C-alpha cells in the first residue's frame, strides 16, 4: 500500500511545501507508516515512522474516527487516556462529538494545535475499494504556513 500511495504524498508535499504523513489505525492510536518532507520547507517535524499519536487530539485520528460508528468512537474515547496536551486539546466528549460531526460534514479533519503548540494538521481518510477507512494522510506544519492565510490554494 505504501508503494502505491507514496508518489501521491510526495506530490502533495511538493505542491503544498509541507510535510505529509501516512498513518494507520493501531488500537487507540494512529501510527506513522510513511512521511515525506517537502524539499523547500525549512521546518522539520519531530514525527517519525513507527511513532504513535493519540486519536482524540490529532487530525489523522479524527479522520479515522469520523469513519466509525458513534458507538465505536465513544468506546475508543472511554478507553483512551484523555489529557489536555495543550490549551487547545479537547477533553470534553460532547465537544469532541461536535468535532467528529464537522469532520463527517466537511470530509476532512483538523488538529488546531491540540497535540503540539505551533503545529496544525489537515487530514483526510483514504478508503479502500470497499469504502472501509484504511489510512488517513495528513500534512502538518507550523503556524506560519498557509493555514493561517486561508484555504483557497488547498489541493484536496
Amino acid at each position: 500500500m505504501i508503494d502505491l500511495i507514496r508518489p501521491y504524498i510526495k506530490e502533495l508535499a511538493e505542491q503544498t511545501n509541507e510535510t505529509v504523513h501516512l498513518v494507520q489505525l493501531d488500537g487507540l492510536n494512529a501510527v506513522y507508516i510513511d512521511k515525506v518532507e517537502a524539499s523547500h520547507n525549512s521546518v522539520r517535524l519531530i514525527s517519525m515512522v513507527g511513532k504513535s499519536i493519540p486519536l482524540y487530539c490529532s487530525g489523522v485520528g479524527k479522520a479515522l474516527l469520523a469513519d466509525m460508528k458513534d458507538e465505536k468512537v465513544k468506546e475508543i474515547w472511554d478507553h483512551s487516556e484523555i489529557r489536555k496536551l495543550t490549551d487547545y486539546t479537547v477533553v470534553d466528549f460532547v465537544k469532541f462529538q461536535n468535532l467528529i460531526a464537522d469532520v463527517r460534514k466537511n470530509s476532512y479533519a483538523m488538529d488546531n494545535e491540540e497535540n503540539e503548540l505551533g503545529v496544525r494538521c489537515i487530514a483526510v481518510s483514504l478508503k479502500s475499494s470497499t469504502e472501509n477507512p484504511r489510512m488517513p494522510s495528513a500534512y502538518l506544519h507550523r503556524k506560519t504556513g498557509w493555514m493561517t492565510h486561508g484555504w483557497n490554494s488547498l489541493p484536496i
Side-chain angles (χ1 to χ4, degrees), residues 10-66:
K10 280 180 78 171
E11 182 180 346
L12 184 58
E14 289 305 315
Q15 286 180 359
T16 60
N17 201 30
E18 303 293 349
T19 300
V20 179
H21 293 94
L22 187 65
V23 305
Q24 68 182 21
L25 184 63
D26 184 28
L28 302 175
N29 297 301
V31 65
Y32 295 107
I33 61 172
D34 200 8
K35 174 182 178 178
V36 175
E37 292 187 4
S39 59
H40 299 92
N41 191 339
S42 62
V43 175
R44 295 291 179 243
L45 300 170
I46 59 172
S47 58
M48 64 180 70
V49 172
K51 183 179 176 189
S52 292
I53 187 168
L55 297 176
Y56 75 94
C57 62
S58 63
V60 292
K62 287 183 268 185
L64 281 168
L65 289 167

Side-chain angles (χ1 to χ4, degrees), residues 10-154:
K10 280 180 78 171
E11 182 180 346
L12 184 58
E14 289 305 315
Q15 286 180 359
T16 60
N17 201 30
E18 303 293 349
T19 300
V20 179
H21 293 94
L22 187 65
V23 305
Q24 68 182 21
L25 184 63
D26 184 28
L28 302 175
N29 297 301
V31 65
Y32 295 107
I33 61 172
D34 200 8
K35 174 182 178 178
V36 175
E37 292 187 4
S39 59
H40 299 92
N41 191 339
S42 62
V43 175
R44 295 291 179 243
L45 300 170
I46 59 172
S47 58
M48 64 180 70
V49 172
K51 183 179 176 189
S52 292
I53 187 168
L55 297 176
Y56 75 94
C57 62
S58 63
V60 292
K62 287 183 268 185
L64 281 168
L65 289 167
D67 286 330
M68 297 178 192
K69 294 183 181 205
D70 289 335
E71 297 79 20
K72 183 66 176 175
V73 172
K74 176 71 167 126
E75 177 185 329
I76 289 173
W77 176 274
D78 287 343
H79 288 93
S80 297
E81 183 182 335
I82 307 297
R83 56 190 178 149
K84 200 159 188 66
L85 301 176
T86 74
D87 289 342
Y88 303 103
T89 307
V90 176
V91 295
D92 176 80
F93 184 67
V94 173
K95 289 180 183 175
F96 184 75
Q97 284 179 300
N98 290 335
L99 291 176
I100 296 299
D102 288 344
V103 174
R104 290 173 177 155
K105 181 179 92 177
N106 298 324
S107 300
Y108 65 86
M110 291 189 58
D111 166 356
N112 193 9
E113 299 184 80
E114 296 162 60
N115 188 56
E116 181 181 346
L117 284 177
V119 177
R120 292 180 174 175
C121 169
I122 297 176
V124 295
S125 178
L126 304 177
K127 312 278 191 302
S128 71
S129 60
T130 60
E131 289 301 311
N132 291 324
R134 292 290 182 224
M135 302 175 203
S137 172
Y139 26 168
L140 299 166
H141 55 89
R142 304 290 168 187
K143 282 200 246 186
T144 56
W146 50 262
M147 274 181 107
T148 58
H149 304 297
W151 300 86
N152 295 336
S153 62
L154 189 62

